[in-house]
């Protein structure tokens, strides 16, 4: 993804390699994985929602941790083209700034808000706050232990907390994966798959 002097973001094929799994450590930038280009003519707020898992240290040779961001297209108003992953970015470039610039560019490209795991959110949150963009992009902290409400006055202002949320989120994700989906097969017939 690149942004021109007028602020227009475009995508082009990259020569960078995707990060190999399992990651062996160190620093490595990687390309965005664009599965579906954004609908830039009709992209209301919350049409694209991102989730992310950031990393703790900027430089390391021993950890297998990379920063990851996934963009999900939400099925607003029953949109049949929604409810799917449309882009991702998994990398560990040399600096936090480079990683954060890349994440922000991806969010801008999709007009996406982000609901990240907040364990290692501090550097990205500060990056957005310095640009006065935190209210535009970060979704407030939600308590998954009770009634799925915003947590006012919580120590963590944005995202979701792994210790409190992981069990419930995994159950919600498992339910999502078990939903029956209608697709068109190679013979042109609509079939239901799980």
């Amino acid at each position: 993804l690149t942004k021109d002097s007028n602020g227009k973001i475009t995508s082009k094929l990259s020569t960078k390699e995707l990060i190999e799994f399992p990651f062996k450590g160190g620093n490595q930038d990687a390309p965005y994985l664009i599965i579906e280009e954004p609908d830039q003519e009709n992209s209301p707020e919350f049409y694209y929602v991102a989730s992310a898992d950031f990393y703790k240290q900027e430089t390391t040779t021993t950890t297998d941790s990379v920063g990851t961001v996934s963009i999900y297209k939400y099925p607003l108003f029953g949109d049949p083209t929604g409810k799917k992953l449309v882009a991702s970015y998994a990398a560990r470039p040399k600096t936090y700034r480079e990683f954060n610039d890349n994440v922000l560019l991806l969010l801008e490209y999709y007009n996406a808000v982000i609901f990240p795991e907040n364990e290692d959110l501090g550097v990205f949150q500060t990056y957005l706050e310095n640009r006065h963009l935190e209210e535009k992009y970060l979704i407030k902290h939600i308590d998954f232990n009770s009634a799925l409400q915003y947590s006012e006055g919580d120590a963590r202002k944005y995202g979701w907390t792994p210790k409190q949320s992981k069990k419930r989120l995994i159950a919600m994700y498992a339910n999502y994966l078990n939903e029956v989906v209608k697709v068109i097969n190679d013979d042109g017939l609509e079939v239901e798959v799980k």
Side-chain angles (χ1 to χ4, degrees), residues 126-163:
T126 301
Y127 171 88
L128 290 178
E129 288 170 347
N130 289 338
R131 289 157 179 76
H132 307 289
L133 295 172
E134 73 279 8
E135 294 293 328
K136 178 176 180 172
Y137 290 108
L138 290 172
I139 295 178
K140 292 185 177 186
H141 182 266
I142 294 178
D143 180 1
F144 282 93
N145 282 332
S146 59
L148 296 177
Q149 297 176 338
Y150 289 120
S151 303
E152 298 297 327
D154 196 84
R156 296 186 182 190
K157 192 172 177 181
Y158 301 104
W160 58 276
T161 306
K163 187 174 182 182

Side-chain angles (χ1 to χ4, degrees), residues 57-190:
Q57 284 101 19
E58 183 171 60
T59 305
T60 182
T61 57
T62 58
T63 183
D64 60 357
S65 180
V66 297
T68 59
V69 179
S70 300
I71 306 278
Y72 179 79
K73 186 178 184 182
Y74 197 78
L76 285 179
F77 311 112
D79 179 357
T81 69
K83 206 172 189 178
K84 62 183 167 186
L85 183 71
V86 294
S88 69
Y89 175 61
R92 194 180 183 119
K94 290 183 181 174
T95 66
Y96 276 136
R97 171 144 187 166
E98 187 178 352
F99 182 77
N100 292 337
D101 286 345
N102 291 342
V103 171
L104 181 57
L105 189 60
L106 186 62
L107 295 177
E108 289 174 343
Y109 188 53
Y110 282 91
N111 189 31
V113 293
I114 187 167
F115 186 56
E117 177 184 331
N118 60 22
E119 186 80 18
D120 302 315
L121 175 61
V123 172
F124 186 66
Q125 181 177 335
T126 301
Y127 171 88
L128 290 178
E129 288 170 347
N130 289 338
R131 289 157 179 76
H132 307 289
L133 295 172
E134 73 279 8
E135 294 293 328
K136 178 176 180 172
Y137 290 108
L138 290 172
I139 295 178
K140 292 185 177 186
H141 182 266
I142 294 178
D143 180 1
F144 282 93
N145 282 332
S146 59
L148 296 177
Q149 297 176 338
Y150 289 120
S151 303
E152 298 297 327
D154 196 84
R156 296 186 182 190
K157 192 172 177 181
Y158 301 104
W160 58 276
T161 306
K163 187 174 182 182
Q164 294 175 342
S165 310
K166 201 168 273 188
K167 188 175 184 179
R168 186 155 184 189
L169 284 173
I170 289 172
M172 291 168 72
Y173 186 62
N175 286 340
Y176 163 73
L177 291 176
N178 286 319
E179 287 182 11
V180 174
V181 179
K182 292 181 180 179
V183 298
I184 306 297
N185 69 13
D186 292 339
D187 298 325
L189 301 173
E190 184 176 85

